[in-house]
């Protein structure tokens, strides 16, 4: 019998999925010449915002 995921595990998984999704788009932006630090900031912000909105909804 498998135990249900804890709240921390669930949030970590949601953050990882959101970061991967945002990272794909920002990697395209870096390939087109955007500053990598700016792209990383956008990725982190997007992932955190997606998880926060997911928790509210």
């Amino acid at each position: 019998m498998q135990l249900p995921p804890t709240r921390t595990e669930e949030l970590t998984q949601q953050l990882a999925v959101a970061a991967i999704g945002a990272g794909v788009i920002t990697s395209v932006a870096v390939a087109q010449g955007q500053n990598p630090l700016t792209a990383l900031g956008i990725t982190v912000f997007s992932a955190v915002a997606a998880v926060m909105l997911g928790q509210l909804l």
Side-chain angles (χ1 to χ4, degrees):
M1 187 165 103
Q2 188 176 7
L3 295 174
T6 63
R7 182 101 170 128
T8 303
E9 291 171 341
E10 187 177 302
L11 286 174
T12 303
Q13 184 180 17
Q14 289 175 357
L15 187 60
V17 170
I20 290 169
V24 169
I25 301 303
T26 53
S27 65
V28 171
V30 169
Q32 294 181 350
Q34 184 178 19
N35 182 343
L37 289 177
T38 302
L40 182 61
I42 292 168
T43 300
V44 170
F45 176 79
S46 298
V48 171
V51 171
M52 288 174 60
L53 285 174
Q55 293 300 310
L56 290 174
L57 300 175

